[in-house]
Amino acid sequence: MLESPARVFAQLSTDEPLAQAEVVLGRAVVLGGSMAGLLAARVLSDHAESVVIIERDDLPEGVASRPGTPHDGQLHTLMHGGRVQLRRMFPGFEADAEALGAVISSPYNIRAYADGVPKVSDGRMGLLSCSRPFLEALVRRRTLALPNVKVLTCRAKGLEFRGDAVTGVRCGPAAGEDAGGQEWVEEADFVVDAMGRASKLGDWLEKGGWERPAMRRMLIGIDYATGYFRRTQSDPELAAAIAYRTPTAVPPRVASGAITSIEDDRWLITLANYGKQPPIRDVAEFRELCGELPPVYREAVTGEQLGEISTYHQADSRRREFHLLKRLPARLISVGDAVASFNPIYGQGMSSAALQASALSRYLRSAPDLRQPARDFFAAQRVVVDAAWQVSTAADLARPDVHGPYPRGYRVTKWFAEQIANASITDREVAVRFNSVTYMRTHPSALSAPSTLLRALRVNLSKSGRSGRSGGPQRERG
Ligand SMILES: Cc1cc2nc3c(=O)[nH]c(=O)nc-3n(C[C@H](O)[C@H](O)[C@H](O)COP(=O)(O)OP(=O)(O)OC[C@H]3O[C@@H](n4cnc5c(N)ncnc54)[C@H](O)[C@@H]3O)c2cc1C
């Protein structure tokens, strides 16, 4: 019997610790040693005699940015859904993180604002607040402490196939693509592509006579501007804040602003905007724009500025549809941003990678026939990617500067989504259900439960009764 996506999602997002497992693989090779690759390696360490992570960067010993992750200076929050998985994979992870300076935020020290109006706290969902290099360093330390996991510093350049399966990875020196130099093959019983959104796996599959996965894209044109400031102490409880602005016909200069408290007593603040607006590079402008957001933003930028404002542009959300491939070699999967890279504003990427690692664990525990393509893995991974994609693209499609593609039935789903999002601003019960989905703890289908919809409608009707406004379906764009 086919399992519903909601049921699969619930299984993958379990908080049960990983139980001891049978070793079913000899040597597993993971391409890419960033968040998705490290989490896949952690899971594989339970099922393989040895795990080799192939990474082109010299991975730092401690907390440091590196060239292979040019986005690592931008704000990264780990959602509740990702936190639960990290706790499963690395017992004591959060205590370690806190001891080293990360901030574990409870629902009561996160502030959220919609158009400047404080949102009600759901009383449940929290975040792990630290810089991205800090988080990655801790995940790396815990993964590389496993006795059967090691890193090889080199560049993956292609795959080797025998019959219907992958048998190895062609490697070359870590230096630039065209550096030439000797090539060699790393033998593998199982290969995981975790090479990020620019992964070349599709090229390699095509070259080997296999199919390339189709890529779906949504153009978003989002710009991040990020500043670091010395933390001021007037609100010692505050751990994180997020302020969204409703998209209007004339998009505001700042679509959303996020603050997070990070290690070494600093604030990390990101302002995001869409469309063709000039990037924010100047600290005076950065401070001025923070002044237009709720007071916590104005206050956070009063401290000493630490380093320059750094910017990042992402043109699209994209996903590669491995689950649709008719011809796919056995013993090969792809994870993380290599499969789906979402609009970063919704903070889903690392939690999605963690849930995909959970899908890998589930697959390897199911006694799969490793002579066949890993279709059961891709089916479970699709549930995670569909869930995150649905949440982020639905929110983006509501913007005047994002122009589709619109899914079937968009006009109706948009209206219902707006009802729930509006009600979640003031109603704790709707906020609990809404945040559980956006924090990646629950499958989005939970929001279409009649009880949730009815409650949201009642809340909004009573609000519009009070304010004299009416809510109804809006005209579909595009
Ligand atoms: C601006 C921005 C903000 C974000 N904010 C958040 C957030 O708040 N919360 C969140 O959860 N997510 C966020 N994300 C997403 C998050 O960064 C990613 O989803 C996450 O890092 C998982 O990435 P990954 O490991 O799949 O790929 P990447 O982090 O891109 O890593 C790919 C790795 O593969 C290596 N590699 C590539 N090619 C080769 C090769 N040929 N040989 C060897 N090694 C190779 C690279 O060096 C790199 O280490 C954000 C992303 C961006 C861009």
Side-chain angles (χ1 to χ4, degrees):
M1 199 183 70
L2 271 182
E3 288 173 298
S4 73
R7 193 175 148 80
V8 173
F9 195 95
Q11 287 168 5
L12 300 181
S13 59
T14 174
D15 55 5
E16 290 284 310
L18 292 180
Q20 206 163 3
E22 201 189 332
V23 172
V24 290
L25 299 166
R27 189 173 199 243
V29 175
V30 178
L31 312 180
S34 180
M35 289 300 286
L38 291 167
L39 296 174
R42 159 65 191 92
V43 164
L44 284 164
S45 74
D46 285 341
H47 303 272
E49 281 163 20
S50 65
V51 183
V52 178
I53 300 171
I54 289 180
E55 169 56 53
R56 61 189 175 185
D57 279 354
D58 248 328
L59 292 176
E61 281 288 315
V63 180
S65 288
R66 57 189 181 84
T69 49
H71 47 290
D72 65 13
Q74 306 297 322
L75 185 141
H76 275 67
T77 44
L78 184 64
M79 295 291 188
H80 206 91
R83 284 177 62 189
V84 168
Q85 293 312 308
L86 258 60
R87 289 204 290 252
R88 281 182 84 202
M89 291 174 200
F90 306 107
F93 186 86
E94 293 199 346
D96 279 5
E98 210 171 7
L100 292 167
V103 179
I104 312 282
S105 56
S106 82
Y108 299 105
N109 56 16
I110 304 175
R111 313 254 192 284
Y113 304 87
D115 291 325
V117 176
K119 290 185 71 176
V120 67
S121 167
D122 66 16
R124 295 198 187 167
M125 299 292 145
L127 301 166
L128 177 58
S129 298
C130 55
S131 71
R132 159 65 195 253
F134 177 101
L135 183 64
E136 190 179 309
L138 192 51
V139 171
R140 185 165 62 236
R141 199 177 85 193
R142 294 291 298 261
T143 305
L144 298 185
L146 298 164
N148 60 346
V149 179
K150 69 168 189 174
V151 178
L152 213 55
T153 308
C154 62
R155 180 179 292 268
K157 301 189 86 170
L159 294 176
E160 294 284 307
F161 304 94
R162 196 178 318 123
D164 288 339
V166 169
T167 55
V169 179
R170 248 190 348 276
C171 297
E177 197 78 78
D178 305 318
Q182 200 190 348
E183 277 191 18
W184 70 94
V185 171
E186 290 293 330
E187 307 267 315
D189 294 320
F190 196 83
V191 173
V192 178
D193 160 33
M195 291 182 288
R197 63 189 257 124
S199 165
K200 296 228 165 78
L201 180 63
D203 294 351
W204 300 350
L205 284 171
E206 213 164 51
K207 211 166 151 198
W210 302 91
E211 270 182 275
R212 165 198 290 277
M215 193 199 286
R216 258 163 80 185
R217 297 173 74 203
M218 179 174 284
L219 297 181
I220 51 169
I222 190 148
D223 280 296
Y224 264 42
T226 291
Y228 292 70
F229 296 85
R230 180 66 58 212
R231 200 185 154 139
T232 48
Q233 288 301 318
S234 73
D235 185 355
E237 294 300 312
L238 182 65
I242 177 82
Y244 285 108
R245 281 171 167 170
T246 307
T248 52
V250 182
R253 182 84 170 93
V254 174
S256 93
I259 300 183
T260 182
S261 175
I262 63 167
E263 70 278 4
D264 302 328
D265 228 6
R266 291 174 293 164
W267 287 123
L268 201 176
I269 305 173
T270 285
L271 303 180
N273 62 31
Y274 288 77
K276 297 196 169 67
Q277 308 194 39
I280 305 157
R281 293 210 170 86
D282 172 62
V283 71
E285 189 190 12
F286 192 91
R287 284 192 159 118
E288 191 185 315
L289 291 168
C290 283
E292 294 168 11
L293 294 171
V296 288
Y297 289 80
R298 197 173 318 137
E299 186 177 321
V301 290
T302 53
E304 178 197 357
Q305 187 202 356
L306 306 165
E308 297 297 303
I309 302 295
S310 70
T311 58
Y312 193 90
H313 176 78
Q314 186 170 310
D316 61 18
S317 293
R318 57 172 67 172
R319 60 184 290 185
R320 296 182 171 97
E321 304 198 293
F322 284 91
H323 61 280
L324 293 181
L325 289 180
K326 295 219 164 44
R327 294 186 58 250
L328 180 71
R331 297 174 179 271
L332 174 70
I333 65 164
S334 183
V335 294
D337 282 19
V339 172
S341 150
F342 314 97
N343 182 344
I345 215 170
Y346 307 109
Q348 298 167 313
M350 299 187 298
S351 294
S352 165
L355 287 163
Q356 292 173 43
S358 175
L360 176 58
S361 169
R362 179 183 187 256
Y363 169 70
L364 290 171
R365 283 166 202 273
S366 66
D369 180 353
L370 292 164
R371 294 165 305 178
Q372 301 297 324
R375 294 200 186 281
D376 288 349
F377 166 78
F378 286 115
Q381 177 186 56
R382 179 199 178 173
V383 170
V384 174
V385 171
D386 277 354
W389 185 264
Q390 187 182 331
V391 168
S392 70
T393 59
D396 280 341
L397 283 173
R399 303 194 53 83
D401 30 28
V402 175
H403 305 289
Y406 295 91
R408 209 177 315 145
Y410 170 69
R411 193 176 163 182
V412 175
T413 51
K414 176 177 185 256
W415 188 76
F416 281 117
E418 279 171 357
Q419 296 305 314
I420 290 170
N422 287 343
S424 76
I425 297 172
T426 50
D427 186 72
R428 182 159 183 266
E429 224 172 278
V430 178
V432 166
R433 297 176 211 178
F434 180 72
N435 292 358
S436 186
V437 168
T438 54
Y439 280 54
M440 299 192 78
R441 275 299 282 149
T442 309
H443 190 265
S445 59
L447 295 181
S448 43
S451 59
T452 309
L453 291 173
L454 284 174
R455 186 170 179 100
L457 289 177
R458 267 203 308 273
V459 169
N460 294 334
L461 275 175
S462 77
K463 273 199 280 194
S464 64
R466 280 199 299 272
S467 70
R469 272 187 291 132
S470 71
Q474 294 180 1
R475 222 160 58 78
E476 192 170 341
R477 281 177 292 107

